[in-house]
Amino acid sequence: MSLNKITEQSSHYSDLDKMATGDLLRGINAEDKAVPLAVEKCLPQIEKFVDLLVERMKKGGRLFYLGAGTSGRLGILDASEIPPTYGAPFDLVIGLIAGGDGAIRKAVENAEDDYNQGWKDLQAFNIGGYDSVVGIAASGSTPYVVGACAKAKAEGLLTGCITCNPGAKVAEVVDIPMVAVVGPEFVTGSTRMKSGTAQKLILNMISTSAMIKLGHVKGNKMVDMHLSNAKLVDRGTRMIMEETGITDYQTAKDYLLRYGSVRSGVDAFKAGK
């Protein structure tokens, strides 16, 4: 990779191997502080993408994340949290990684270099119609991501990208580029650090705001969350108590478990059931 890319430029810090632990930690922390400010500059682009995304999702569209390495794993992480957090279908937000699911834990050699494979992976989901694609690539030049985004846009899908290099190739082939320029990494070229953090923040914004706009949050509560463990049952019970005025914990818990969600429990109580 060319050192002209900001994500590949030399760290602002030298002789890391000679630093005391405290100095390493303070240096990493100092660099991390730049990330939210870089993301802030992307807010207009993120807003535009989310608004268009939600319009398409309301018509039955899905959201696909596509990346390689850390970028791909972050997309899968964000997608996997949507069903339990918001009660949305498991196929509403889908994360794909170069090299397939095996690459989530172990890198697959050269998988990211195939320009055509990303689109092939998307085709396995019968992609089209109102679906949307977000390519995630810190460098912005990953062939797997660039190729998929270019083809998706040509097919009329809504396309966006999350990258950390201005003028990145992927930004040239999508409808809405989201470019968070975080600067050189603390360890030169280690884009799992600041770049990865920026990508995670933007993914949080996209999926969270979309789920709110799609009605999966009431007030500030996750009213459709899956009751998959004791912690979430307790949280849901307290949400019902707060929303309905029920003062008895067990009564509220009974509503939650009988009707399966905070939303349904509250609706049942208000209907006098």
Side-chain angles (χ1 to χ4, degrees), residues 123-152:
Q123 285 182 299
F125 292 86
N126 296 313
I127 192 166
Y130 292 105
D131 292 335
S132 303
V133 175
V134 174
I136 313 169
S139 69
S141 60
T142 308
Y144 176 85
V145 176
V146 175
C149 287
K151 182 63 174 176

Side-chain angles (χ1 to χ4, degrees), residues 61-199:
R62 299 165 294 174
L63 171 61
F64 289 85
Y65 295 138
L66 202 84
T70 296
S71 297
R73 295 182 189 102
L74 288 170
I76 290 171
L77 171 64
D78 193 76
S80 68
E81 294 287 354
I82 299 307
T85 305
Y86 297 108
F90 282 86
D91 61 352
L92 183 63
V93 183
I94 299 169
L96 300 177
I97 186 171
D101 287 352
I104 296 172
R105 291 185 176 273
K106 185 177 181 181
V108 176
E109 188 174 358
N110 299 326
E112 69 177 61
D113 296 330
D114 191 330
Y115 185 86
N116 297 309
Q117 188 59 48
W119 179 247
K120 291 178 183 177
D121 289 349
L122 288 169
Q123 285 182 299
F125 292 86
N126 296 313
I127 192 166
Y130 292 105
D131 292 335
S132 303
V133 175
V134 174
I136 313 169
S139 69
S141 60
T142 308
Y144 176 85
V145 176
V146 175
C149 287
K151 182 63 174 176
K153 183 179 179 182
E155 292 292 325
L157 280 68
L158 172 65
T159 55
C161 71
I162 304 172
T163 184
C164 297
N165 272 321
K169 180 63 178 177
V170 71
E172 298 173 357
V173 301
V174 300
D175 298 302
I176 305 173
M178 294 164 271
V179 186
V181 185
V182 298
E185 298 288 357
F186 183 75
V187 176
T188 299
S190 182
T191 52
R192 73 183 186 90
M193 301 184 75
K194 289 193 298 181
S195 297
T197 300
Q199 291 170 339

Side-chain angles (χ1 to χ4, degrees), residues 49-59 158 209-211 213-214:
F49 182 82
V50 169
D51 284 342
L52 292 174
L53 169 68
V54 170
E55 286 180 13
R56 298 172 75 92
M57 285 184 133
K58 286 179 177 178
K59 298 175 182 177
L158 172 65
S209 54
M211 290 302 107
K213 291 289 186 180
L214 290 172

Side-chain angles (χ1 to χ4, degrees), residues 8 10 14-15 60 81 95 104 113 162 165 187 196 234-235 258:
E8 295 296 318
S10 184
S14 300
D15 299 321
E81 294 287 354
I104 296 172
D113 296 330
I162 304 172
N165 272 321
V187 176
D234 177 69
R235 180 186 296 165
R258 186 185 314 154

Side-chain angles (χ1 to χ4, degrees), residues 16-29:
L16 303 185
D17 52 321
K18 298 176 183 177
M19 282 187 179
T21 302
D23 291 334
L24 288 170
L25 300 180
R26 282 184 286 273
I28 293 170
N29 183 241

